[in-house]
Amino acid sequence: SILQVNMGEGAALSASSIMLCLAASGIFAGTFRYGMCGIYALALIGVIICIICTVRRRSWQIAGNGWLVMLMLLGVFFYCLFLYYNDFIQHTDEFHQWAAAVKYMLEKDKLPTGADFIGGSGQNCFASSLFFLFFQKLGGYNEQNMYVASTFLMTIGFLLPLSNAKGRDLKKVLLYIAILFVAIYSLYTYGTKSLYVDVPMAAWAGGLAGWWMTRKKQKRNLPVFIAGLIVLCFIKPSSGALMALYVLAFAISYYFLIERGVIEKQGATRA
């Protein structure tokens, strides 16, 4: 509401804020308690501002067409709660690399170091694990909710390009979603039932690039873009930063070559 972004962009900023609050709390305070309090405070402030905007009849304008994205996100969230009901981590590598880190952070209330749990590499307590941790803090240790969180994180990235979709684009939106999920199940062994961060990383990278092409050009786009790049950098070490660099290069190239018309201007000069 403050930045006047739509619901799809707001979901990306919310996910980024969750990760940032928990990371900062774990690093500087040695506990996630303050991070959770910060998340609750942001949520409360958001509710108050939303009520104020509704009273002033500005809420629909602020929400824009992103309500479509928000409804889809809620649909995916509740679908995953049903799909993964009473499910548990079944893949050894997932438990060593991500689930164990989340369980450690939940029980010890601190960020793990490399020697604190099995398979302790630097990637274990990055953005995705902190996002999973948020769900565990809300409901207690529940492996089902890790799969819910992973799918939800992926979906936020995938739907980011549709933030500015209009009602008349509904058929294109549904086709886009169908193609994405068919691709996931065709190319990835476990589909959405996975804690591996490769698909969420690709979803955020592709989603951010697609959003850059479909965005409404305004100054408030910068926080969304920066937040997306930061999430990419910390979703997975090295490769995440490389993906962020690719997206940044794409955005710069698209701005100068397409939006500023450099190619057309050069062609006109030659003619």
Side-chain angles (χ1 to χ4, degrees), residues 16-31:
S16 307
S17 300
I18 287 172
M19 300 171 193
L20 178 62
C21 286
L22 292 178
S25 181
I27 293 172
F28 297 109
T31 176

Side-chain angles (χ1 to χ4, degrees), residues 172-247:
K172 296 179 182 178
V173 169
L174 295 177
L175 178 62
Y176 169 82
I177 294 172
I179 292 174
L180 284 177
F181 277 89
V182 168
I184 292 172
Y185 281 105
S186 300
L187 301 176
Y188 203 64
T189 305
Y190 304 117
T192 58
K193 185 185 176 184
S194 173
L195 298 184
Y196 296 117
V197 296
D198 303 270
V199 176
M201 180 180 64
W204 275 71
L208 198 60
W211 167 81
W212 185 258
M213 291 189 293
T214 61
R215 77 196 190 284
K216 294 180 179 178
K217 299 175 183 62
Q218 48 197 5
K219 292 181 179 180
R220 62 184 66 99
N221 290 334
L222 190 59
V224 179
F225 189 66
I226 292 176
L229 293 180
I230 292 175
V231 169
L232 275 177
C233 288
F234 290 99
I235 264 188
K236 192 173 184 180
S238 62
S239 55
L242 182 61
M243 294 292 276
L245 183 62
Y246 285 154
V247 173

Side-chain angles (χ1 to χ4, degrees), residues 42-57:
L42 288 174
L44 179 60
I45 293 171
V47 170
I48 294 173
I49 293 176
C50 184
I51 292 173
I52 294 174
C53 291
T54 302
V55 172
R56 295 180 177 179
R57 297 183 180 180

Side-chain angles (χ1 to χ4, degrees), residues 5 21 59 70 73 76 98 104 115 130 144 184 198 207 215 235 245 247:
V5 298
C21 286
S59 58
M70 181 55 67
L73 286 173
V76 168
W98 290 278
Y104 179 92
L130 291 170
Q144 156 205 308
I184 292 172
D198 303 270
R215 77 196 190 284
I235 264 188
L245 183 62
V247 173

